[in-house]
Amino acid sequence: MLFALLATQLGSLVSPAYACGCGAMIPDGVSRMGVARETSVVRWDGRTEQMAMRFTVGGDAKRAAWIMPVPGRAAVRLGDPGLFSQLVDLTGPEYRTRHYFWPRRGDWPFDSGSRDTAGATPPGSGEAGVGVVGRERLGDFDVARLTATDPDALGDWLETNGFKLPDGLTADLKPYVDQRWEYVAVRLVPREAGGALRGTLDPLLIRFESDRLVYPMRLSRRAGSAQSLGLYVLADHRMEPASAIGGDTPEVTFAGRITPTGQVAEFAGAAPVFLTAIDQSFPVPSRIDGDHELRAAAGDTPYRRVEYTDELRTAGGIPVWILTVAGALGVAVVAALAVLRLRRRGRAPSVDGRRG
């Protein structure tokens, strides 16, 4: 329980900007860049929230900036890519087989003599109004942790470092400034000199104090095409969004208590925890009217998707329908022979020479 974000240009700017699920991605002034996929995992214990994000990007940008608001002072480090693949395995559907009796298209005698066996698999310096509280280089990321007392100051900070906020994004940052949130500002720079930012980047982990489970989404309202959210939530109980915040009704694709191992244990701890996987679509991003706040569901009801594979019922490798039809024909032949024998006996002469 993974999500795809179809990032689109945020207006006719020389430096096109793209929204992603929990922030704004801004390429440099001469390049284009799209976030093809962003996958996020959230761990919340009632006091501390930790988010792991992994971007898959395309385009020719040699550097870009990404801004994410957070409700508290953040610590940032690189994560383990294995976390995501392990969660995919944990939340995958249960596969079951359903048998059917009568042949269908592709089964003999309706096939064409050949069978298709291919199946679908399942930073810079501070500006006035901006405080730089920390900066570090992590893989492809040059990370600055910022405070701001003026939303315009964030734009000034970006412009000083060669980037420009798209029109309207400053206004979307104002609610965060009013709430005294802080910001993680990231410059994405390829490790290879002259290289472009392409493919799947290293996961980035952000940790901050929070007495509520929140997933920032407000900046995504600037996206020009449909957005898709996929979120893994690790908490004490099954979690659900408090509202749809302008998107389709969120769908739970997995819910269940797990005992973390491997990379999940490194991220969330080894104690048993409830894992909820949530998918949601935003057909019209401009309708997004806030951030996701997640709350405990009414109960810790487990759920797992079930995917069925339909197979023709067989016995000893022979389709049961053939055996049934053959058996029925056999019974019919025996019955016909019995009737014929009785009729012949009825026409046979009796002992005194007369026909019975």
Side-chain angles (χ1 to χ4, degrees), residues 306-322:
V306 177
E307 293 188 4
Y308 292 94
T309 300
D310 293 335
E311 291 183 0
L312 184 64
R313 189 176 296 279
T314 61
I318 302 174
V320 170
W321 73 268
I322 293 180

Side-chain angles (χ1 to χ4, degrees), residues 11-284:
S12 56
L13 302 171
V14 175
S15 175
Y18 298 83
C20 53
C22 55
M25 187 77 73
I26 308 157
D28 58 26
V30 296
S31 306
R32 293 185 178 274
M33 178 182 184
V35 180
R37 178 180 294 273
E38 176 193 342
T39 305
S40 294
V41 189
V42 176
R43 169 68 173 117
W44 185 65
D45 61 8
R47 302 177 305 277
T48 303
E49 183 173 339
Q50 182 169 246
M51 305 172 63
M53 289 156 289
R54 183 174 63 175
F55 300 106
T56 300
V57 301
D60 61 355
K62 294 179 172 53
R63 59 192 182 115
W66 174 65
I67 304 294
M68 177 184 171
V70 292
R73 182 63 48 87
V76 185
R77 63 184 178 89
L78 288 180
D80 189 334
L83 169 66
F84 300 90
S85 57
Q86 187 178 1
L87 285 168
V88 168
D89 292 338
L90 285 170
T91 60
E94 177 184 352
Y95 296 97
R96 297 180 184 176
T97 300
R98 293 186 298 198
H99 293 93
Y100 56 92
F101 183 80
W102 293 111
R104 301 176 180 176
R105 183 177 181 180
D107 298 322
W108 185 89
F110 304 118
D111 62 0
S112 59
S114 64
R115 179 164 304 202
D116 181 9
T117 57
T121 57
S125 60
E127 300 288 340
V130 175
V132 180
V133 298
R135 182 176 174 183
E136 50 266 330
R137 179 65 186 259
L138 302 171
D140 293 315
F141 308 107
D142 185 4
V143 180
R145 290 169 288 137
L146 309 174
T147 62
T149 58
D150 180 356
D152 292 326
L154 287 178
D156 294 339
W157 181 88
L158 285 170
E159 289 181 1
T160 299
N161 289 275
F163 301 94
K164 179 178 176 60
L165 282 175
D167 293 337
L169 193 57
T170 299
D172 291 331
L173 288 170
K174 188 177 185 305
Y176 298 118
V177 174
D178 293 343
Q179 297 176 71
R180 298 184 177 275
W181 281 34
E182 298 189 6
Y183 310 87
V184 175
V186 181
R187 288 172 56 94
L188 288 75
V189 183
R191 301 183 199 187
E192 297 181 5
L197 289 163
R198 254 187 231 107
T200 300
L201 306 180
D202 291 331
L204 195 63
L205 267 62
I206 301 176
R207 181 185 180 94
F208 50 88
E209 300 297 317
S210 180
D211 59 1
R212 57 195 175 104
L213 178 50
V214 60
Y215 190 79
M217 287 288 298
R218 191 189 308 271
L219 301 187
S220 293
R221 69 190 314 272
R222 294 290 164 182
S225 66
Q227 301 282 286
S228 179
L229 170 65
L231 187 63
Y232 298 104
V233 183
L234 294 153
D236 293 338
H237 300 281
R238 174 170 170 166
M239 305 300 289
E240 63 183 10
S243 73
I245 64 168
D248 291 345
T249 301
E251 176 189 4
V252 173
T253 59
F254 176 87
R257 193 166 296 279
I258 64 169
T259 299
T261 60
Q263 291 83 1
V264 177
E266 292 180 10
F267 176 79
V273 67
F274 205 97
L275 171 60
T276 313
I278 301 169
D279 280 348
Q280 184 182 16
S281 296
F282 296 88
V284 185

